[in-house]
Every structure is written in C-alpha cells, then in structure tokens.
C-alpha cells in the first residue's frame, strides 16, 4: 500500500544535509505551512488496519532551529539574496585560504628583504605562526562577539584587521614589522574562520545548509590554490612577495563594501530584539513565503533565543559554557569536535601548506612554488570530491578511508626522506645525494597525502555545527575552531625546528604515528552522522559514542530517503484528494 502523505501532491523535495539530513516533503504549489517533515518515526509508526490514521506520516515536534526552519525553507528556490549573502560571507573563507597560503611562496621570495639578511628557520616559523596565533586568540572570543556585536560587524572588523595587517607587511623592512603584520592579519583570519560558516548556516535554507558549509571549505582551499598560483607567478619578480600580500586587499575591500549594503542574519536581529529587521531579512530571503510563516519563524527564533537562562550576556555565556560541559551528550560532542580539529592539524597538513616551498626546495626542486600549486590543487579538487561524497558515502566512512591513506603516504615519505639523506647547515638544508628519484617519491606521496587529507579530515571537522544542539552551538564551535588554530600554531612554530632536530624522516614518521592513532580515535569515537536528525545526534551521544547504533540508524535513514525519492514518482489522485 502506498503511503498517503497529507499535504503532499506532486513533488517531494529532499534534503540530505549535513546538519540533519532530514527528508522534507513539500508541495510546490501549496502554501508551505501545509508541508510536513518525514521522520524516522514516520515509517515506524504502528498503524491500526483500517484506521483513518493508517499510513499517515507523523509530524515531528519542532525543538531546534534547524527543524523549525523547515517551516519556511522547503519549497523555496534559493533566492538571489541568499546567494549574494553566501558569496559575500565566504570571501572570509577565501581570505582564510589566501592568507595562510601565500606565506609558503613569500618565505622563499623574501630573500634578504627583511633586515638585509636571510631569514633563519626560527624567524620563518615566527612569521608563519603569528597568523595562527592571532587566529587562535580571536577565534576564542569570536562566537561571543558575534552574539554581542553581530555577525556582520565582526566580519567588517575582520576586514579592518586584514587591511592593517596587509599594510604593515607590504611596507615591512624588518622581521618584527612583518611578524606583527601577520599577527594582526591572523586576528582577521580567526574571526572569519568562525563567523563565515556561522553566517552562512544562519541564512541558508536547511536543504542546502550542509553543502554550503563544504562550499566555504572550497573557497578556503581555492584561496590557498590562488595564493600558490600568484606566488609562483611572482616568484622572480623583485619584491613580488609584497605584491602577493597586497593582493589580499582586493577581496577584503570587496567584502567590506558589500557588507555595508547587506543586513545581518535574522537570528542576530532576534537576539537584539529587533524583530522587525529579522522578518525583513527573512522576507527578502524567502520571497515565496507568506507573511504568516515569516511571523511564525520569527516567533520560533524568539523562543530559541530564550533557551539558555541568564539576565545578561556574560551570565548567559557562563551558563552556556556550563551546559556544554555538564550535559554528557554535549561533552561528547565537544570531544569529537575538538578531537577532529586537533587531528586535522596535528597530522601535519599545514606544515605542507606553510612550508611546502621550503620542503620542495630542500628536496632539490628549482621551481618549488610550482610544485606547491599541484599540492594545493589536489587539496582543492579532493575537497570537491568530499563535497559530493560527504552525505552519500558518509562522514565516518570518508574519514576511515582518508586517515589510513594519509598514514600510508606519510610512512612512504618518511622512508624516502631517510634515503634522501638531508643534513642541515645553519638555515639551509643540504641534500646528501643531490636530487634523486627519492625526491620524486616524496613529491608523489605528498600529493597522495593531500588527496586523502582533503577527502576526509580536511573537510569533515568543519561540519562541527551538527554535533552541537542550538543552545551551545556557538560556544561549542568556538572551542573546536580554537583547537584548530592552536594545532595550526603548534605545527607552524615547530615544523622547521622538527626537521632540523629529528630530521625530515623523523618528522614525517611522527606525523604518521599521530595519523595512525587518529584512525583509532575515529574508529571508536566518531559515529556516522550522515542522514541523522540533529536530535538524533544528541540521542546517539547520550550514553556513549554508540558507533554501531549510529551506523544502523544512518543506514536506515538512507533507505528511507531512497523510499521517499521513489514516492516522487508515485503521487496518486487518491493522495491529492487527501489534501
Ligand atoms: O580545512 C582546512 C583546509 O584543509 C586547509 O587546507 C587547511 O590549511 C586548514 O588548516 C584547514 O582548516
């Protein structure tokens, strides 16, 4: 017997997003208020034969913004307004990528431009790590600042820091001015790395929210690729590195200018009590939606806004932090969120991002920047692959493919470095054997490493928001983002020293060891979250990591999605009469 879908006529639209992967059935031509959300229980419901309720789909109660947003987001084509907002916000992703990416080539081409001498490895590390340090500092506060001053203003503040940081660097003739410039630029990067995905998730329709998060990662890796491309192009230009830094001012200026004309997110306006503005933005975002639905949405946002008690902002922040640590499912979410971000950084990818120019030069390549382009291009392409796989194959599965692949590639690199025989002479490395086939092996396996990294651990941790319920999401993701930057900082400030102290072979073997341990962590602690409702994620994490149960549930959800997809072609007149 076919399933009768109340309010369902001709078309089922399906959402399979990272933030819950719920299935939404909607009527293209009816008012959205009549739409229903199909849940797992919908298919498990016990029905009395012959009952009126037979085969009716249960409508799940709404208790989370992502669920409530179903009320107004399905049935909507994406409006140009949402596209513009997403585009403008993700410029921060691009800047994150560009600013962390250009340093690799800049370190090579700076030569003796600072203090009239070649930079030592220690100085290179400080210049590189300054951005990560700046980003770490601001990412800790950015979540709270966004609640107080607004997402838009925070992004504009980050633009200001990008400008100050870039000007200081472009005009730098001393090592310290360069380092301070990088630090201030890092302040901007930290804010952008947290706010941009947050902004996007708050304005995006539910059905494309998960994918839009990966799009931010695509901009990020794209920004790194562009930085490498420009770096290679400017390699032999006198003071080319200054132009490279100066170019970052273009996207910053574009973002700042656009933000002057754009609003903040509806959620922020609700937090500020400006309900008129909130509904205005919603109306512009969902042009097909009736005023009644917009009002209901605003009402829902108001209710959610009161979910954490507290008379003022500091009290509410404190209560949120308490809730994050004392509720077991939140704590597990925190372990996973921070754990994945730590793995992303401590398996060493960014040492390649920041120092690949130096590494490839060490191995004996003349145009090392060009080789770096291939590495960051691989990162970009495989982020695109992740975009298509993340919901279909599942986050856990791609992680458990990616991490062992990375381990294998790192082991091969360690062996190759061992046979290459590098010794260090002051600030530069000397290859005992000259350029040899071991150098080629290293480059090939660094590319393999990049592919496995981007497919899994490079992308999945940024899906962090799905781990946390709405009330602790801001602070939870702030912790996770800060972990990311702390890891980045440690890697940026120790990598070259590690190369010198424990040799490149030892360094890569060390990363391989951590990568291997990460497989164990993910195997035992990271449940499969694809296709799960947000509340289901909380249920899964309630009394353990429940890997088995999550896998079974994810499988079931996939089957249900497939069934609903089939229904797309099965609406009958009988169903239409039901409405
Ligand atoms: O997800 C991103 C991406 O993988 C970048 O390539 C990397 O440089 C960042 O640190 C990371 O957060």
């Amino acid at each position: 017997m076919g399933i009768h879908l109340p309010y369902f006529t001709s078309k089922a639209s399906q959402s399979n997003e990272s933030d819950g992967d719920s299935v939404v059935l909607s009527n293209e031509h009816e008012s959205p208020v009549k739409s229903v959300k199909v849940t797992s229980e919908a298919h498990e419901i016990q029905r009395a034969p012959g009952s009126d309720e037979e085969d009716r789909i249960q409508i799940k109660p709404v208790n989370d913004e992502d669920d409530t947003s179903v009320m107004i987001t399905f049935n909507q084509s994406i409006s140009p307004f949402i596209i513009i907002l997403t585009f403008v916000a993700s410029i921060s992703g691009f800047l994150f990528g560009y600013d962390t990416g250009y340093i690799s080539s800049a370190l090579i081409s700076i030569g003796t431009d600072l203090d009239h001498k070649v930079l030592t490895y220690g100085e290179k590390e400080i210049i590189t790590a300054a951005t990560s340090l700046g980003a770490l500092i601001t990412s800790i506060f950015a979540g709270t600042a966004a609640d107080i001053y607004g997402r838009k203003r925070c992004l504009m503040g980050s633009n200001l820091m990008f400008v100050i940081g870039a000007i200081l660097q472009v005009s730098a003739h001393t090592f310290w001015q360069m380092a301070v410039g990088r630090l201030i630029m890092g302040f901007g990067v930290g804010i952008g790395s947290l706010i941009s995905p947050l902004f996007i998730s708050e304005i995006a329709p539910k059905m494309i929210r998960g994918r839009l998060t990966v799009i931010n990662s695509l901009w990020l890796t794209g920004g790194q690729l562009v930085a490498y491309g420009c770096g290679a192009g400017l390699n032999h230009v006198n003071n080319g590195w200054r132009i490279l830094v100066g170019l970052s001012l273009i996207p910053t200026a574009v973002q700042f200018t656009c933000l002057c004309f754009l609003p903040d997110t509806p959620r922020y306006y609700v937090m500020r009590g400006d309900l008129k503005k909130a509904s205005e933005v919603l109306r512009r975002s969902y042009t097909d939606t009736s005023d009644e639905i917009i009002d209901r949405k605003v009402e829902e946002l108001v209710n959610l806004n009161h979910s954490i008690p507290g008379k003022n902002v500091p009290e509410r922040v404190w209560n949120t932090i308490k809730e994050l640590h004392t509720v077991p499912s939140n704590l597990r979410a925190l372990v996973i969120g921070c754990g994945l971000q730590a793995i992303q950084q401590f398996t060493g990818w960014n040492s390649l991002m920041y120092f690949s120019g130096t590494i490839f030069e060490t191995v004996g390549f003349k145009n090392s920047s060009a080789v770096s382009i291939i590495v960051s291009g691989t990162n970009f392409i495989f982020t695109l692959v992740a975009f298509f796989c993340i919901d279909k194959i599942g986050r856990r599965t791609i992680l458990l493919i990616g991490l062992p692949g990375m381990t294998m590639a790192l082991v091969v690199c360690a062996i190759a470095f061992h046979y290459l025989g590098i010794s260090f002479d002051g600030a530069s490395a000397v290859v005992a054997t000259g350029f040899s086939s071991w150098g080629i092996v290293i480059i090939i396996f660094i590319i393999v490493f990049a592919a496995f990294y981007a497919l899994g651990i490079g992308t999945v941790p940024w899906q962090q928001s799905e781990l946390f319920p709405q009330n602790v999401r801001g602070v939870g993701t702030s912790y996770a983002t800060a972990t990311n930057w702390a890891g980045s900082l440690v890697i940026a400030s120790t990598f070259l020293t590690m190369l010198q102290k424990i040799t490149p072979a030892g360094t890569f073997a060390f990363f391989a060891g951590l990568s291997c341990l990460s497989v164990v962590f993910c195997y035992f602690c990271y449940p499969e979250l694809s296709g799960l409702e947000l509340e289901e994620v909380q249920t899964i994490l309630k009394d353990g990591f429940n890997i088995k149960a999550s896998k079974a549930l994810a499988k079931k959800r996939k089957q249900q999605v497939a069934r609903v997809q089939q229904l797309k072609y099965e609406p009958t007149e009988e169903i239409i009469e039901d409405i």
Side-chain angles (χ1 to χ4, degrees), residues 307-379:
S307 59
I308 291 274
K311 289 193 284 296
N312 45 39
V313 175
E315 213 172 279
R316 279 176 63 184
V317 170
W318 176 241
N319 285 336
T320 309
I321 293 172
K322 261 194 345 209
E323 178 125 353
L324 188 61
H325 290 88
T326 50
V327 175
S329 58
N330 288 347
L331 197 58
R332 283 190 194 94
L334 200 60
V335 169
I336 296 172
C338 295
L340 289 188
Q341 289 286 15
I343 293 170
Q344 186 192 76
Q345 295 304 318
F346 285 107
T347 43
W349 163 254
N350 274 326
S351 59
L352 300 180
M353 234 37 244
Y354 302 149
F355 302 112
S356 60
T358 310
I359 296 172
F360 293 133
E361 247 194 1
T362 305
V363 170
F365 271 95
K366 286 272 172 308
N367 194 351
S368 53
S369 292
V371 185
S372 302
I373 292 179
I374 300 175
V375 175
S376 62
T378 309
N379 186 27

Side-chain angles (χ1 to χ4, degrees), residues 198-501:
L198 181 76
F199 191 101
I200 293 171
S201 74
E202 287 188 347
I203 49 114
K206 177 190 170 71
M207 55 193 174
I208 53 155
R209 192 176 295 167
R211 294 244 168 88
L212 286 187
T213 313
V214 183
I215 285 177
N216 194 57
S217 295
L218 273 171
W219 274 83
L220 197 173
T221 51
Q224 287 173 329
L225 182 58
V226 171
Y228 276 72
C230 295
L234 293 165
N235 214 2
H236 301 296
V237 176
N238 200 15
N239 280 312
W241 64 273
R242 295 186 199 273
I243 302 172
L244 197 56
V245 181
L247 285 175
S248 72
L249 289 168
I250 299 171
T252 308
V254 171
Q255 189 180 44
F256 187 86
T257 312
C258 293
L259 283 172
C260 289
F261 301 99
L262 291 170
D264 213 304
T265 70
R267 186 178 168 76
Y268 169 66
Y269 287 127
V270 167
M271 289 172 100
R272 235 181 45 179
D274 193 345
L275 305 190
K276 201 168 148 245
K277 262 268 174 65
S279 50
E280 230 176 79
V281 180
L282 284 170
R283 208 157 277 134
R284 283 174 76 186
S285 306
Y286 302 105
T287 43
D288 289 347
T289 308
S290 70
D291 285 355
E292 186 204 338
I293 301 296
I294 298 285
D295 290 345
R296 280 176 62 178
K297 176 66 186 174
V298 173
E299 217 179 286
E300 286 159 4
L301 289 178
V302 170
N303 290 338
L304 283 162
N305 191 39
H306 293 140
S307 59
I308 291 274
K311 289 193 284 296
N312 45 39
V313 175
E315 213 172 279
R316 279 176 63 184
V317 170
W318 176 241
N319 285 336
T320 309
I321 293 172
K322 261 194 345 209
E323 178 125 353
L324 188 61
H325 290 88
T326 50
V327 175
S329 58
N330 288 347
L331 197 58
R332 283 190 194 94
L334 200 60
V335 169
I336 296 172
C338 295
L340 289 188
Q341 289 286 15
I343 293 170
Q344 186 192 76
Q345 295 304 318
F346 285 107
T347 43
W349 163 254
N350 274 326
S351 59
L352 300 180
M353 234 37 244
Y354 302 149
F355 302 112
S356 60
T358 310
I359 296 172
F360 293 133
E361 247 194 1
T362 305
V363 170
F365 271 95
K366 286 272 172 308
N367 194 351
S368 53
S369 292
V371 185
S372 302
I373 292 179
I374 300 175
V375 175
S376 62
T378 309
N379 186 27
F380 176 72
I381 289 167
F382 278 82
T383 305
L384 198 63
V385 175
F387 173 78
F388 291 110
C389 297
I390 199 152
D391 290 326
K392 282 204 180 115
I393 300 181
R395 296 116 170 86
R396 180 179 157 85
T397 312
I398 58 173
L399 271 183
L400 289 177
I401 292 172
L403 284 168
M406 282 163 64
T407 311
M408 175 275 295
L410 287 166
V411 168
V412 176
C413 284
I415 294 169
F417 269 116
H418 175 76
Y419 285 108
L420 196 63
I422 295 176
S423 63
F424 286 90
D425 171 23
S428 55
V430 181
V431 184
T433 56
F435 179 63
S436 71
S437 47
W438 285 116
I440 308 239
V441 171
I442 288 170
I443 286 172
I444 290 174
F445 278 87
I446 280 181
I447 291 168
V448 171
F449 172 70
F452 280 116
Y453 166 85
L455 177 70
I457 199 69
T459 311
V460 176
W462 291 115
Q463 301 285 321
Q464 56 196 14
S465 67
E466 70 187 4
L467 292 165
F468 302 98
Q470 182 63 41
N471 54 359
V472 295
R473 192 171 293 157
V475 180
T477 50
S478 222
Y479 272 45
T481 309
T483 308
N484 177 293
W485 287 112
S488 166
L489 175 63
V490 172
I491 291 299
S493 53
T494 57
F495 179 70
L496 293 180
T497 309
M498 274 171 81
L499 288 185
Q500 282 178 305
K501 296 273 188 280

Side-chain angles (χ1 to χ4, degrees), residues 492-540:
S493 53
T494 57
F495 179 70
L496 293 180
T497 309
M498 274 171 81
L499 288 185
Q500 282 178 305
K501 296 273 188 280
I502 61 168
T503 74
T507 306
F508 277 76
F510 177 71
F511 288 145
L514 291 181
S515 183
C516 191
L517 285 178
S518 306
V519 179
V520 179
F521 174 84
C522 290
Y523 186 82
F524 288 108
C525 300
Y526 187 62
E528 183 53 84
L529 304 179
S530 321
L532 266 58
E533 300 279 354
L534 282 174
E535 325 77 274
E536 287 172 340
V537 174
Q538 305 313 306
T539 316
I540 286 288

